[in-house]
Amino acid sequence: MTVTSLQSLAIFGGPPAFAEPLHVGRPNLGDRERLMGRIEDILDRLWFTNNGPYVQAFERRVREYCGVRECVATCNGTMALELLMRGVGMQGEVIVPSYTFVATAHALQWQEIRPVFCDVSPETHTLDPSRVRELITPNTTGIVGVHLWGQPCEVDALEAIANEHDLQLIFDASHALGCTHQGRPIGGFGRAEVFSFHATKVLNTFEGGAIVTDDSDLAEKLRLMRNFGFESKDQVVYLGSNGKMSEISAAMGLTGFESIEEFTDRNLVNFEAYREQLESVEGLSLLKTPEGERGNHHYVVVTVDSEEAGLTRDELVHVLEKENVLARRYFHPGVHRMEPYRSDQPMAGLVLPVTDELSRTVMTLPTGQAVDAEAISRIGAIVKTALANPESVRECLAEWEG
Ligand code: T4K
């Protein structure tokens, strides 16, 4: 059902524009038959995990794709971050953005390393290097840059700061497979980078992650740490955990890689369709990939200026939810406002004005294979209809809440 008038909006009792929910983060699926063939093969071989042939092939594929020497595949992105942070010797304090998924900070805190929250730039939503400098103390051992939304963060400036102060620099590239910085694939920057292959990511292994690096000694250590520290049968030479990727996950990843261009092309087409719908709407701005960089457009990120638009981000999200468009308020309310950070660091917000503003004003819209131009045009019509009548919409939402 296409929304054409105020009264046809679902908040006023019209039928939802979509019969089924449209999610942010619907998994991308490659060729189902090839996946099933690989799963049959895994079942026939009775080799399910512990560095099997599919995991090794997946690691090779990631290495080629990112142009790096080493890839250590893991059971998820959070475990990859934890292993890497420990592997490079982070301790004491580490500087991270608060405007990220909570796992970036949890991976530090889990190991009793204090995340020191740094503000981001309003243009890119990634770490503001000038703010990073201000937060360095004698206890600082590292910096975690996040390529949020698949937008490369300010890699060169962060590298300069890390070199100057002798700090470990790693990147949380969970969103950034397929992105480039100055023509070089994300994956080869800093000491190492981490990808997430969670179901909601551009390429997924159901659950999964990987650490990529050019440092072979570090990779060797991480491989031991990923497998309880086993060097060979019965020989444990290191403190380790269980961070291994399973064969079925790797099969999913290999299958996804065969369609990766299709996934990113579709995201780009969707992004352009959203741009056509929303770019000229007063009070809305779409985050664009910086000039000269390549993004994967896996997240469609819209900032809502309520003064200009007439409705707040939260009001617009409610309108969309009633239409079965499940826009997300990533990354609300900012990690520093979540436990345990809210209690441990109650003053952190004082130096995070941009983070607070973004977490109040940003929403992400559905994209990926589950969305097409027709769906986006319907979403555009909902947004424009609601924003053309902000007072009536607000009154109606107040009634829903009442
Ligand atoms: N660093 C960053 C910057 C990250 O964004 C993440 C993860 C990590 C580190 C850690 O990586 P992992 O350890 O997760 O590999 C989701 C994901 O669970 C999380 O992986 C992701 N970031 C984050 C941005 O999004 P939630 O709590 O929003 O997930 P959930 O369950 O609400 O799912 C999101 C949407 O996706 C839902 O609307 C429904 C849809 N969905 C989800 C799943 C799991 C599906 O349609 N099918 C599915 O199978 O965190």
Side-chain angles (χ1 to χ4, degrees):
M1 155 81 60
T2 306
V3 168
T4 49
S5 69
L6 185 62
Q7 293 310 317
S8 62
L9 284 175
I11 52 164
F12 289 101
F18 295 90
E20 297 295 324
L22 269 190
H23 294 276
V24 171
R26 208 72 174 143
N28 285 329
L29 197 55
D31 187 305
R32 192 183 283 242
E33 262 178 48
R34 296 182 87 141
L35 172 65
M36 290 310 183
R38 288 179 168 126
I39 293 175
E40 291 287 353
D41 183 48
I42 290 167
L43 299 182
D44 288 344
R45 286 162 177 270
L46 293 178
W47 193 272
F48 296 164
T49 184
N50 289 19
N51 206 27
Y54 283 89
V55 165
Q56 289 178 34
F58 179 68
E59 289 181 337
R60 258 195 316 277
R61 189 69 192 92
V62 175
R63 287 201 306 263
E64 286 161 12
Y65 189 73
C66 298
V68 291
R69 217 172 285 150
E70 304 286 350
C71 170
V72 181
T74 57
C75 53
N76 58 52
T78 306
M79 175 57 86
L81 282 170
E82 286 171 12
L83 292 176
L84 178 58
M85 287 159 175
R86 186 181 282 262
V88 299
M90 285 181 171
Q91 50 186 305
E93 294 175 2
V94 169
I95 298 171
V96 282
S98 169
Y99 194 62
T100 178
F101 188 62
V102 68
T104 319
H106 273 357
L108 291 164
Q109 185 79 29
W110 193 253
Q111 316 190 67
E112 299 186 359
I113 304 165
R114 180 180 167 85
V116 173
F117 295 114
C118 180
D119 216 357
V120 292
S121 133
E123 285 80 36
T124 60
H125 302 188
T126 60
L127 272 184
D128 178 342
S130 64
R131 299 273 93 85
V132 170
R133 276 185 192 284
E134 291 166 7
L135 295 171
I136 296 172
T137 73
N139 295 328
T140 309
T141 59
I143 303 169
V144 184
V146 180
H147 304 304
L148 203 75
W149 315 128
Q151 311 266 29
C153 65
E154 292 191 49
V155 168
D156 308 298
L158 294 177
E159 277 182 343
I161 297 170
N163 289 339
E164 208 179 298
H165 292 269
D166 200 18
L167 301 174
Q168 293 294 334
L169 174 65
I170 63 170
F171 293 102
D172 179 343
S174 290
H175 300 179
L177 190 79
C179 303
T180 64
H181 169 58
Q182 293 178 359
R184 275 176 60 201
I186 292 298
F189 296 100
R191 185 88 193 275
E193 305 207 47
V194 162
F195 292 115
S196 165
F197 301 120
H198 182 259
T200 54
K201 297 296 182 287
V202 66
L203 178 119
N204 81 83
T205 59
F206 304 114
E207 288 271 3
I211 306 158
V212 288
T213 181
D214 284 324
D215 182 337
S216 298
D217 292 340
L218 174 63
E220 211 36 57
K221 186 159 124 186
L222 293 167
R223 282 191 191 100
L224 290 172
M225 291 167 71
R226 172 182 68 173
N227 186 28
F228 314 101
F230 275 109
E231 189 178 53
S232 58
K233 246 182 228 158
D234 309 329
Q235 274 266 317
V236 171
V237 296
Y238 215 83
L239 173 65
S241 186
N242 181 356
K244 290 170 273 124
M245 177 179 273
S246 75
E247 286 289 272
I248 281 190
S249 284
M252 181 69 165
L254 284 166
T255 311
F257 259 123
E258 289 163 355
S259 302
I260 185 93
E261 301 303 331
E262 202 184 297
F263 300 158
T264 51
D265 288 353
R266 177 64 166 269
N267 284 345
L268 183 57
V269 168
N270 285 347
F271 178 79
E272 291 302 338
Y274 271 117
R275 182 136 99 164
E276 202 174 297
Q277 288 295 324
L278 303 179
E279 197 165 46
S280 57
V281 178
E282 211 176 325
L284 301 189
S285 42
L286 251 95
L287 187 74
K288 298 182 197 76
T289 307
E291 202 66 25
E293 307 285 58
R294 190 175 83 195
N296 57 21
H297 299 93
H298 188 56
Y299 290 94
V300 174
V301 182
V302 179
T303 308
V304 183
D305 177 333
S306 58
E307 301 266 293
E308 281 186 27
L311 292 176
T312 64
R313 181 274 311 267
D314 287 356
E315 287 165 338
L316 213 42
V317 166
H318 282 138
V319 169
L320 288 165
E321 278 174 351
K322 294 280 182 248
E323 306 287 351
N324 256 337
V325 180
L326 306 186
R328 293 294 297 256
R329 302 186 303 168
Y330 288 138
F331 284 102
H332 173 84
V335 176
H336 66 291
R337 295 189 184 278
M338 296 174 170
E339 293 296 355
Y341 316 105
R342 193 170 62 162
S343 299
D344 285 357
Q345 306 188 36
M347 309 307 264
L350 292 177
V351 293
L352 300 168
V354 180
T355 300
D356 279 342
E357 176 69 9
L358 292 175
S359 58
R360 260 196 310 272
T361 56
V362 166
M363 64 177 179
T364 56
L365 295 172
T367 186
Q369 286 177 309
V371 180
D372 59 15
E374 196 272 327
I376 292 168
S377 129
R378 277 198 267 169
I379 294 170
I382 297 164
V383 168
K384 285 184 262 192
T385 305
L387 293 183
N389 305 276
E391 270 138 41
S392 316
V393 167
R394 200 169 307 111
E395 265 171 40
C396 182
L397 287 174
E399 273 170 38
W400 275 96
E401 271 162 28

